[in-house]
Amino acid sequence: MTAIEKRKQRHIRLSLEENVQADVGTGFEDVRLIHRALPEIDLEDVSTSVDLFGKGLSAPLIISAITGGTENAKRINSTLAAVAEELGIGIGVGSQRVALENPSTEHTFSVVREKAPSTLVVGNLGCPQLSLGWGVPEARCCIEMIRADALAIHMNPLQEAVQVEGETRYRGILDKVREVVEGIDVPLVMKETGCGIAFETAIELENAGVEGLDVSGVGGTSWAAVEHHIAKEVRQRDQEFLGEALWNWGIPTAISVVETSSSTTLKIVASGGIRTGVEMAKAIALGADAVGIAQPFLVKAVEGRDALREHIQRILLEFRTVMFLVGARDIEDLKRVRVVILGRTAEWLRARGFKPGEYALRGA
Ligand SMILES: Cc1cc2nc3c(=O)[nH]c(=O)nc-3n(C[C@H](O)[C@H](O)[C@H](O)COP(=O)(O)O)c2cc1C
């Protein structure tokens, strides 16, 4: 096993066995949807279907990028993809860097397209690789490997800074992103990995030509936490302390959804700490087009296909029920429902120049 394959294996193990969750909220705890005692629709009228990046989905849900590169990762990807196909939701693969460097591991990614022949499949590559010289040819290779419908490029400056021997060169990335956008023929999605995206960055990325943003904000899996545990295992004290200090760094998911969706016309995927169908509905009402979930789906995929399917079905039942309770017949209706934002989240938004109460009117 190469060093990078070992690292991937470690990420899975630590995400399953250690506490790697942020201990600050996503902001959704401050968001309230308004109950309608008379929804004026029947529950059976509710349609959760959407189109995202050219694919029809039964609900606006994506299994976020998790893994690839090892035999264990292949088993996990196979389970995730089979359930995604069965339920008609999207799926992202983990960083494909490992397969570009070692093509004998490609099958651990391409299994996703084999098991999910028709649903939305999103490829994945990292900004650090772009800054080290990769570009259009590698991006195309990732897309071909899994016949991806879209390509995500992950932004992970915090993770790289905490990682032992991480790759922290981020200068000039916007130009590289522009090149990749022009050189590929599927939508490019820029994806954070647990620290959120501010509106200033969202606007820069929209100007660079990307079609989507996956905000992956604070409130769920913390990569400072994951790298903290790794540093502890390999006795790198400075990185261990740094990971602890920055455990909760970033922009909470709900705030990032408001900032990005109200300042651009990009497709917005809300992720980072989303765990329930209620939070899923809140994210869409705040302006997201879809929701992504990673760590809890990893846990269930390891338990097996039935456990994962049941878990996702429960989230979708909850989501559908909430749509009924706010009188939303479809996803466009849900985007228009009124929300109330309280407490710290409202204060944060006001301090950033947003007027809580107005941002949810996007598309109205
Ligand atoms: C084990 C594991 C591996 C991950 N690997 C990647 C990756 O390769 N590329 C990526 O863009 N995000 C990766 N992520 C980040 C997730 O896609 C997601 O943005 C983040 O975990 C927040 O979502 P969550 O709180 O639902 O876990 C990974 C997450 C986990 C738990």
Side-chain angles (χ1 to χ4, degrees):
M1 219 187 247
T2 63
I4 170 171
E5 286 163 26
K6 268 190 206 140
R7 195 161 71 230
K8 296 284 145 186
Q9 188 67 17
R10 228 177 198 153
H11 288 160
I12 298 279
R13 178 171 55 77
L14 291 170
S15 301
L16 291 170
E17 292 174 4
E18 295 286 346
N19 170 26
V20 295
Q21 299 299 298
D23 38 42
V24 292
T26 53
F28 289 115
E29 62 281 4
D30 288 328
V31 177
R32 300 285 191 281
L33 299 175
I34 308 302
H35 172 67
R36 281 180 64 175
L38 292 174
E40 280 299 333
I41 55 169
D42 297 343
L43 177 54
E44 66 174 29
D45 292 340
V46 172
S47 162
T48 60
S49 66
V50 277
D51 283 328
L52 190 65
F53 304 126
K55 281 283 165 87
L57 300 179
S58 71
L61 181 61
I62 299 176
I63 298 174
S64 290
I66 299 177
T67 199
T70 63
E71 285 306 316
N72 186 34
K74 182 180 185 178
R75 273 191 298 278
I76 292 167
N77 270 342
S78 167
T79 303
L80 293 170
V83 173
E85 179 77 13
E86 221 182 297
L87 300 181
I89 62 171
I91 175 168
V93 298
S95 173
Q96 291 166 267
R97 169 191 174 186
V98 56
L100 293 181
E101 289 177 351
N102 177 5
S104 74
T105 64
E106 272 188 18
H107 64 109
T108 66
F109 292 94
S110 56
V111 67
V112 169
R113 186 46 101 191
E114 280 158 36
K115 300 283 176 184
S118 67
T119 200
L120 173 75
V121 172
V122 183
N124 196 286
L125 202 57
C127 281
Q129 279 63 58
L130 294 190
S131 70
L132 290 178
W134 283 6
V136 173
E138 290 79 11
R140 284 189 181 152
C141 194
C142 290
I143 294 163
E144 271 166 36
M145 193 186 303
I146 54 172
R147 285 185 285 121
D149 302 296
L151 178 68
I153 294 186
H154 65 257
M155 304 177 277
N156 64 344
L158 170 66
Q159 181 193 4
E160 298 290 347
V162 178
Q163 188 175 302
V164 177
E165 291 168 14
E167 179 45 65
T168 46
R169 273 182 277 180
Y170 258 74
R171 198 187 305 156
I173 294 277
L174 265 178
D175 285 337
K176 291 294 280 200
V177 168
R178 241 177 246 118
E179 265 177 43
V180 175
V181 166
E182 279 164 23
I184 62 175
D185 46 21
V186 298
L188 186 65
V189 179
M190 293 301 288
K191 174 182 180 302
E192 238 293 341
T193 45
C195 299
I197 301 175
F199 76 85
E200 295 90 340
T201 309
I203 291 169
E204 283 173 344
L205 289 169
E206 181 170 46
N207 291 338
V210 312
E211 285 189 40
L213 301 175
D214 182 334
V215 304
S216 192
V218 169
T221 306
S222 157
W223 280 91
V226 176
E227 297 298 343
H228 155 87
H229 289 297
I230 295 181
K232 200 169 171 184
E233 285 185 358
V234 300
R235 295 172 205 278
Q236 294 285 328
R237 301 287 282 168
D238 287 347
Q239 301 309 104
E240 178 189 337
F241 283 117
L242 189 59
E244 202 168 358
L246 298 176
W247 195 285
N248 294 317
W249 174 266
I251 306 167
T253 302
I255 290 168
S256 194
V257 168
V258 172
E259 292 208 6
T260 54
S261 67
S262 51
S263 55
T264 71
T265 58
L266 299 174
K267 289 282 178 198
I268 304 297
V269 179
S271 72
I274 295 186
R275 303 291 176 251
T276 68
V278 178
E279 287 159 353
M280 201 177 147
K282 288 177 178 179
I284 306 278
L286 285 184
D289 296 284
V291 163
I293 300 178
Q295 196 267 357
F297 290 172
L298 169 63
V299 171
K300 294 293 170 186
V302 170
E303 275 178 45
R305 196 161 153 175
D306 291 344
L308 178 65
R309 185 195 310 105
E310 267 170 38
H311 185 71
I312 297 178
Q313 278 172 332
R314 280 190 198 133
I315 291 175
L316 294 179
L317 174 65
E318 205 177 306
F319 177 61
R320 196 184 168 77
T321 307
V322 171
M323 284 182 68
F324 171 57
L325 296 177
V326 297
R329 192 182 295 266
D330 56 28
I331 300 299
E332 284 308 306
D333 273 358
L334 181 58
K335 284 188 184 174
R336 285 190 287 263
V337 302
R338 288 279 175 173
V339 299
V340 174
I341 300 193
L342 309 166
R344 196 186 63 122
T345 304
E347 273 172 44
W348 181 317
L349 285 168
R350 240 178 255 116
R352 293 276 289 156
F354 292 87
K355 293 183 191 146
E358 287 184 13
Y359 38 78
L361 294 176
R362 177 184 177 221

